[in-house]
Amino acid sequence: MPRSHGRRAALVHPDASEFDVLDVLHALSDPTRMTIVQTLRADPERACGTFPVDVAPSTLTHHFRVLRETGVIRQREDGNRRWTTLRLEDLDARFPGLLDAIVSAYDHQTDPASA
C-alpha cells in the first residue's frame, strides 16, 4: 500500500541484542555521523534540524537512518519534529567501552592540539 502524503515511514530501531559491531563501526566511520554522535553526547536529545552539520537535508536523513538502523541513535516523532537521542546505555551493554574508545580516538585524530 503506498504511503499517504504527510505520513512518514515507521522508524526502525533494532534491539540491543541485534547490534553488530561491524555495522556500528561502519556507522561511526563517517565524519558527519561522528558530529551527530558528539553533539548527542553533549546534548542528550536534539531536534533533527539542529545539528551542526553542513549537508543537504536528504543527506542528513541518510546519516540518521544509518545511525538509527545500526542502533547508535533512537528517534521519536513529536508532531512535525523528529527528536534524536544516543543509545549509549544499549551500546555499552552490548559493546562495553566501544563508543567511548571510538569518540576518544576521533577527538584525538581531529584535534590539532593533540597532534
Side-chain angles (χ1 to χ4, degrees), residues 4 9 17 21 29 44-45 48 50 61 63 66 93-94 98 100 105 111:
S4 64
S17 66
V21 70
S29 69
E45 185 174 52
C48 286
T50 66
T61 297
H63 287 304
V66 169
R94 180 81 167 123
L98 179 67
D100 288 339
D111 182 6

Side-chain angles (χ1 to χ4, degrees), residues 11-103:
L11 299 173
V12 174
H13 296 100
D15 186 79
S17 66
E18 299 171 4
F19 294 178
D20 180 276
V21 70
L22 295 179
D23 291 340
V24 171
L25 291 173
H26 169 75
L28 297 175
S29 69
D30 182 271
T32 298
R33 293 193 286 264
M34 282 303 298
T35 298
I36 292 167
V37 168
Q38 289 174 310
T39 302
L40 291 171
R41 285 170 62 90
D43 187 8
E45 185 174 52
R46 285 184 79 113
C48 286
T50 66
F51 286 84
V53 294
D54 189 24
V55 296
S58 60
T59 302
L60 186 57
T61 297
H62 165 75
H63 287 304
F64 284 132
R65 182 181 56 78
V66 169
L67 290 168
R68 187 180 63 246
E69 290 181 356
T70 58
V72 176
I73 64 170
R74 179 173 303 281
Q75 292 184 302
R76 68 177 177 86
E77 296 198 14
D78 184 17
N80 64 351
R81 296 204 94 161
R82 187 171 281 178
W83 293 87
T84 305
T85 57
L86 188 61
R87 293 181 67 179
L88 185 55
E89 282 187 24
D90 289 339
L91 286 165
D92 276 344
R94 180 81 167 123
F95 310 116
L98 179 67
L99 187 62
D100 288 339
I102 292 170
V103 169

